[in-house]
Amino acid sequence: MLLTRVFSRSFSNSVKSNADYSHLVIGAGVIGLGVASELSKQAGNSVLVVEKHGHIGSETSARNSEVIHAGIYHAPDTLRTQLCLRGKELLYQAKKLGVELRQCGKWIVSQNEKEDEYLHKMYKRVSSLGVPIEWVNKSESDSVEPFVKVGGRILNSSSTGIVNAHSFMLYLQSIFEANNGELVLNTEVKGISYSLEFKEYIVSTVSDNGEFMDITVENIVNSAGLYAPDVSNMLLPAERHYTAYYAKGNYFAYIGSKVKVNRLIYPCPSDHASLGTHLTIDLGGRIKFGPDIEWVDSPTDLKANGNQLDEVFDTISLYMKGIERHELVPDYAGIRPKIAGPCSTFVDFTIKEEPGFPGFINLLAMDSPGLTSSLAIGEHVAKIYHS
């Protein structure tokens, strides 16, 4: 095994690494692939991606709203905003290279004075960023979107869009593999240790057929999504362990035929953990609502359910006309990877090289707008390695 080879090396005062790879990315979701595609472009890098499932992007990356976010919900100085703005720019450029997407726009709708105040603050903040945002004349909204119910005001986010997440991930994989990157599926990381002598990591893996293998790498990017805290805890001392929290979101398909919309429709957010149960459309025009929010104990609790359908329908009825409850059916569910529970305050993307472990970069709390930000996250990680 490779582990034996590592520890059988002769000792010297100056050891040049003979690691199998310069970089290991753990997790082949959209963010892991975004990071790997960027690292693979750098001369001298040899990049390996390890994914425990048999397909790329089969967890959070495949179970979300597929929205290209505009970067309008968080403070300007947060990583969520900065990387979303850059990622959005890069993602729209990728359309020319075959990524299936559409810049359809989004309305955020208020229903009362309190929500009007929220929209005014949003308008001021977003305008200062130079992100397109504009008021929609209420008198014109009925002709443009007759099924949208408006009690207050409407903001139009014209740079919001939708993307086929699978198409995007295949694009990222193609870049990575064109740059001689290697992708290994059906292989799970079971342990990580750091050799101070050889200045490299020994990563123990097991394939789905039970074959164990140790890999040596100079650098690790932990992009394991829902399992990123567990991966981090394999290496970091107990006092620096992270706890994973799982915010499940169910999506509901609209199976009626009466209601039609041309863009995404969002209510004003109700709390920091969710943007509210919103209306999205896919590239075929199919309408879905979600996600709701349900804190669960397991990252495998992915069966869609209608446990909160009454509350979901009540929320939808506040901003949509013509929807009947029986026209909503549970469709699919996804889980947002969190490192803080339901009573927590805002937690930004956590992207950092862990002190004492050179080249080990943790990507934690990488939920929305992670898909939009993925290309920019790759750039950000590459800059950390070059700083």
Side-chain angles (χ1 to χ4, degrees):
M1 295 176 71
L2 294 176
L3 183 60
T4 303
R5 180 177 63 81
V6 169
F7 285 106
S8 66
R9 294 174 183 161
S10 59
F11 291 91
S12 67
N13 293 327
S14 177
V15 178
K16 179 175 175 60
S17 173
N18 290 311
D20 300 306
Y21 298 91
S22 66
H23 296 79
L24 168 67
V25 177
I26 302 173
V30 67
I31 293 175
L33 291 171
V35 171
S37 66
E38 183 64 28
L39 292 176
S40 71
K41 298 174 185 176
Q42 311 300 315
N45 283 353
S46 55
V47 185
L48 173 69
V49 176
V50 170
E51 168 58 50
K52 71 176 183 177
H53 295 293
H55 304 279
I56 62 172
S58 57
E59 291 182 355
T60 305
S61 299
R63 296 171 172 271
N64 56 72
S65 301
E66 296 188 305
V67 172
I68 303 173
H69 287 282
I72 63 178
Y73 284 103
H74 304 295
D77 60 346
T78 63
L79 275 178
R80 289 187 189 271
T81 295
Q82 295 169 6
L83 296 178
C84 182
L85 293 176
R86 174 59 177 162
K88 176 183 65 174
E89 175 187 357
L90 294 172
L91 185 46
Y92 278 131
Q93 291 174 11
K95 182 178 182 180
K96 301 174 184 177
L97 300 174
V99 176
E100 299 171 18
L101 59 84
R102 178 157 64 93
Q103 188 173 336
C104 59
K106 172 176 74 177
W107 281 4
I108 307 103
V109 182
S110 71
Q111 304 297 340
N112 52 52
E113 290 185 1
K114 181 179 179 180
E115 293 182 352
D116 284 351
E117 183 179 349
Y118 176 94
L119 290 191
H120 278 287
K121 291 179 180 178
M122 174 182 281
Y123 177 80
K124 184 177 180 180
R125 183 183 71 252
V126 174
S127 296
S128 69
L129 289 172
V131 177
I133 193 87
E134 61 184 4
W135 295 106
V136 176
N137 191 318
K138 191 172 181 295
S139 63
E140 298 177 2
S141 64
D142 285 345
S143 61
V144 177
E145 296 288 1
F147 292 100
V148 177
K149 186 186 299 183
V150 184
R153 302 200 67 180
I154 307 168
L155 273 180
N156 176 43
S157 169
S158 60
S159 63
T160 296
I162 49 177
V163 61
N164 182 312
H166 185 64
S167 167
F168 182 36
M169 288 187 284
L170 288 177
Y171 162 76
L172 294 173
Q173 182 182 353
S174 70
I175 294 175
F176 170 63
E177 293 181 338
N179 290 314
N180 298 313
E182 295 182 42
L183 170 64
V184 177
L185 302 173
N186 295 308
T187 301
E188 183 175 359
V189 172
K190 303 298 287 187
I192 306 173
S193 60
Y194 181 62
S195 168
L196 185 61
E197 172 67 23
F198 297 108
K199 294 182 170 53
E200 60 192 28
Y201 294 90
I202 303 96
V203 181
S204 300
T205 69
V206 61
S207 65
D208 62 350
N209 63 9
E211 180 180 356
F212 288 87
M213 178 66 70
D214 292 324
I215 305 164
T216 58
V217 298
E218 296 174 27
N219 306 283
I220 297 176
V221 180
N222 174 18
S223 184
L226 297 170
Y227 299 91
D230 297 334
V231 169
S232 179
N233 295 346
M234 294 176 185
L235 181 67
L236 300 188
E239 63 271 16
R240 287 163 57 190
H241 279 191
Y242 294 94
T243 300
Y245 296 89
Y246 311 112
K248 180 179 179 179
N250 295 284
Y251 289 84
F252 303 88
Y254 171 64
I255 60 173
S257 58
K258 175 183 174 184
V259 173
K260 308 289 184 183
V261 293
N262 301 300
R263 71 205 75 231
L264 313 185
I265 310 296
Y266 278 50
C268 285
S270 58
D271 60 50
H272 65 271
S274 171
L275 298 183
T277 302
H278 48 265
L279 180 156
T280 61
I281 53 177
D282 62 21
L283 291 171
R286 177 174 173 265
I287 293 174
K288 59 188 174 184
F289 292 92
D292 62 2
I293 187 164
E294 175 187 1
W295 294 90
V296 296
D297 296 327
S298 170
T300 62
D301 185 357
L302 289 169
K303 184 177 180 180
N305 66 70
N307 295 342
Q308 300 183 103
L309 184 52
D310 287 339
E311 293 90 336
V312 167
F313 177 70
D314 289 344
T315 299
I316 293 169
S317 298
L318 293 175
Y319 66 91
M320 292 299 297
K321 307 171 189 175
I323 303 286
E324 303 292 337
R325 187 186 184 283
H326 69 271
E327 296 175 320
L328 300 174
V329 295
D331 191 9
Y332 64 95
I335 297 179
R336 300 91 140 175
K338 304 280 189 179
I339 55 172
C343 297
S344 64
T345 56
F346 170 78
V347 177
D348 203 358
F349 285 157
T350 300
I351 304 175
K352 64 176 181 177
E353 184 176 25
E354 291 291 346
F357 297 94
F360 182 85
I361 296 180
N362 258 329
L363 306 184
L364 303 168
M366 306 302 290
D367 52 339
S368 183
L371 186 154
T372 306
S373 306
S374 53
L375 287 167
I377 293 169
E379 290 184 338
H380 187 75
V381 169
K383 289 177 182 176
I384 293 175
Y385 281 125
H386 286 95
S387 62

